[in-house]
């Protein structure tokens, strides 16, 4: 049953109470980040929640989201609360001396005030942001798929651990393998549907999907979804003639009856794709910014990276109906009321 942007599952009853949920959240986060770091050879580092506007390091997502900004009085500089750390991580790889095959991860906490609030979206975002140095010959679709499979294997292994540790939960439901499909092929399969509806269709059929090529214009004249011009490479053509070295990990979430995004990731722009994508977006003026200058001058390594939603994963593993059951945020009074009436208790 839907209530505007809110989906209310029929006869919902959370398997775990609030205190059990908090214990489970810590169990998930501790184990997931340890296993992810081992699988991708990542080291944990500290990350900022505030960056200076003039650096161009903040992530502007699809380009329409509004970051929260303020003046730092002592410095007389404009600062912004991060929306993600897509570009900051790449600078850290360079400045901290990471080599090919090595990488970093961090707890990323962000505020996205323009989010439309629903079961999966909050103004507060918590992710494991990760980034890894790659070689020139790894800037290809095969390597991207290799890393996607490694991440999905971690997702699967933690699901098993959680179900074993918390016996009230249902058995694991994620499929053993993740399938890959290009956004162009997905459009051809379901041309009458919106991008969101296409994701629902393919996820319900396959269970777990990596949608490739998000950001470039498709045959219908629109991208599958928006992406900034200066982090993921969505414009480089692959060996199969399709654009895009990035994508999203999606799974089918039966408790809400919809596709469920866990990770947005990709091989990052090099000099050529940065300039090409800035031109496509009409954002050529950004080349003067600190991050873009360092990239164009060859000071930043080639890399692959992404963000994995912490609350999203906790929600998935714990069979929750609303992301507010696993994170503390702000919600409209009407949403809180409807949730409470349907046994969905927001933290």
């Amino acid at each position: 049953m839907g209530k505007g942007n809110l989906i209310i599952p029929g006869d919902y009853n959370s398997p775990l109470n609030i205190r059990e949920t908090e214990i489970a959240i810590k169990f998930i986060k501790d184990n997931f980040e340890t296993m992810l770091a081992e699988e991708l050879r990542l080291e944990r580092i500290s990350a900022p929640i505030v960056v200076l506007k003039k650096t161009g390091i903040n992530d502007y997502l699809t380009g329409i989201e509004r970051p929260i900004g303020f003046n730092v009085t002592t410095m007389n500089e404009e600062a912004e609360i991060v929306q993600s750390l897509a570009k900051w991580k790449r600078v850290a790889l360079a400045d901290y001396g990471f080599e090919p095959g090595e990488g970093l991860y961090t707890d990323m906490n962000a505020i996205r005030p323009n989010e439309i609030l629903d079961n999966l979206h909050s103004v507060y975002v918590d992710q494991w942001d990760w980034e890894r140095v790659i070689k020139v010959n790894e800037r290809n679709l095969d390597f991207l798929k290799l890393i996607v499979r490694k991440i999905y294997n971690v997702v699967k292994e933690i699901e098993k651990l959680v179900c074993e540790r918390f016996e009230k939960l249902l058995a694991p439901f994620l499929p053993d393998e993740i399938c890959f499909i290009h956004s162009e092929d997905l459009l051809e399969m379901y041309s009458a549907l919106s991008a969101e509806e296409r994701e629902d269709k393919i996820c319900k059929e396959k269970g777990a999907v990596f949608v490739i090529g998000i950001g470039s214009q498709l045959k219908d004249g629109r991208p599958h979804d928006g992406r900034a011009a200066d982090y993921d490479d969505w414009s480089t053509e692959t060996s199969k003639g399709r654009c895009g070295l990035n994508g999203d990990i999606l799974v089918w979430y039966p408790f809400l009856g919809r596709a469920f995004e866990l990770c947005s990731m990709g091989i990052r722009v090099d000099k050529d794709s940065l300039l090409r994508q800035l031109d496509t977006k009409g954002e050529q003026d950004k080349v003067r910014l600190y991050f873009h200058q360092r990239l164009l001058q060859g000071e930043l390594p080639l890399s692959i990276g992404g963000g994995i939603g912490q609350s999203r994963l906790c929600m998935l593993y714990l069979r929750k109906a609303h992301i507010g059951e696993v994170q503390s945020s702000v919600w409209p009074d009407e949403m809180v009321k409807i949730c409470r009436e349907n046994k969905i208790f927001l933290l």
Side-chain angles (χ1 to χ4, degrees), residues 49 51 173 177 222 234 261 278 282 328:
I49 194 169
V51 293
F173 64 83
E177 303 291 336
R222 294 171 293 181
W234 41 258
E261 180 187 322
L278 288 175
S328 183

Side-chain angles (χ1 to χ4, degrees), residues 135-189:
K135 302 175 183 177
V136 174
N137 62 4
E138 292 173 330
R139 293 195 82 257
N140 57 65
L141 199 53
D142 287 339
F143 185 76
L144 175 64
K145 290 180 178 181
L146 173 68
I147 299 299
V148 169
R149 289 190 180 99
K150 285 179 177 289
I151 293 171
Y152 184 70
N153 287 341
V154 173
V155 172
K156 279 284 301 172
E157 286 302 311
I158 297 299
E159 184 191 31
K160 293 177 185 176
L161 284 179
V162 173
C163 289
E164 290 170 1
R165 171 65 174 79
F166 301 94
E167 296 178 354
K168 292 181 181 179
L169 299 175
L170 299 177
F173 64 83
L174 293 175
D176 291 336
E177 303 291 336
I178 187 169
C179 77
F180 296 85
I181 187 167
H182 195 280
S183 55
E184 195 74 73
D185 296 322
L186 195 55
L187 173 62
E188 291 178 5
M189 291 170 62

Side-chain angles (χ1 to χ4, degrees), residues 23-226:
I23 293 169
I25 288 170
K26 185 176 189 305
F27 178 85
I28 291 166
K29 291 185 176 183
D30 288 349
N31 284 278
F32 188 91
E33 69 175 56
T34 298
M35 192 174 293
L36 180 72
E38 291 174 354
E39 187 70 21
L40 296 186
R41 293 185 62 199
L42 307 176
E43 297 176 17
R44 190 189 185 284
I45 64 168
S46 301
I49 194 169
V50 175
V51 293
L52 293 178
K53 182 177 181 179
K54 69 180 181 180
T55 62
I57 284 177
N58 203 0
D59 182 359
Y60 293 97
L61 305 172
T62 65
I64 62 173
E65 290 85 355
R66 172 179 53 87
I68 296 173
F70 57 93
N71 182 266
V72 181
T73 305
T74 304
M75 301 170 62
N76 194 27
E77 293 278 6
E78 290 299 313
E80 294 175 342
I81 295 177
V82 299
Q83 295 193 118
S84 92
L85 296 172
K87 297 194 286 293
W88 180 87
K89 293 176 295 181
R90 196 166 175 185
V91 172
L93 286 178
D95 293 348
Y96 296 1
F98 284 89
E99 298 291 336
E102 300 176 339
L104 58 84
Y105 78 95
T106 188
D107 287 298
M108 193 284 297
N109 298 289
I111 303 296
R112 297 180 183 173
N114 290 98
E115 286 285 11
I116 297 175
L117 306 182
D118 58 21
N119 299 70
L120 301 181
H121 297 89
S122 168
V123 296
Y124 170 64
V125 180
D126 54 345
Q127 295 182 168
W128 287 286
D129 258 11
W130 61 275
E131 199 83 9
R132 173 172 153 164
V133 181
I134 63 174
K135 302 175 183 177
V136 174
N137 62 4
E138 292 173 330
R139 293 195 82 257
N140 57 65
L141 199 53
D142 287 339
F143 185 76
L144 175 64
K145 290 180 178 181
L146 173 68
I147 299 299
V148 169
R149 289 190 180 99
K150 285 179 177 289
I151 293 171
Y152 184 70
N153 287 341
V154 173
V155 172
K156 279 284 301 172
E157 286 302 311
I158 297 299
E159 184 191 31
K160 293 177 185 176
L161 284 179
V162 173
C163 289
E164 290 170 1
R165 171 65 174 79
F166 301 94
E167 296 178 354
K168 292 181 181 179
L169 299 175
L170 299 177
F173 64 83
L174 293 175
D176 291 336
E177 303 291 336
I178 187 169
C179 77
F180 296 85
I181 187 167
H182 195 280
S183 55
E184 195 74 73
D185 296 322
L186 195 55
L187 173 62
E188 291 178 5
M189 291 170 62
Y190 307 114
S191 58
L193 302 181
S194 68
E196 185 175 306
E197 290 168 337
R198 296 196 292 270
E199 290 180 352
D200 287 343
K201 277 279 190 182
I202 194 67
C203 283
K204 187 173 184 180
E205 177 185 344
K206 301 293 186 180
V209 183
F210 185 75
V211 179
I212 303 166
I214 298 180
S216 59
Q217 183 174 296
L218 304 179
K219 288 182 179 179
D220 65 354
R222 294 171 293 181
H224 181 81
D225 198 358

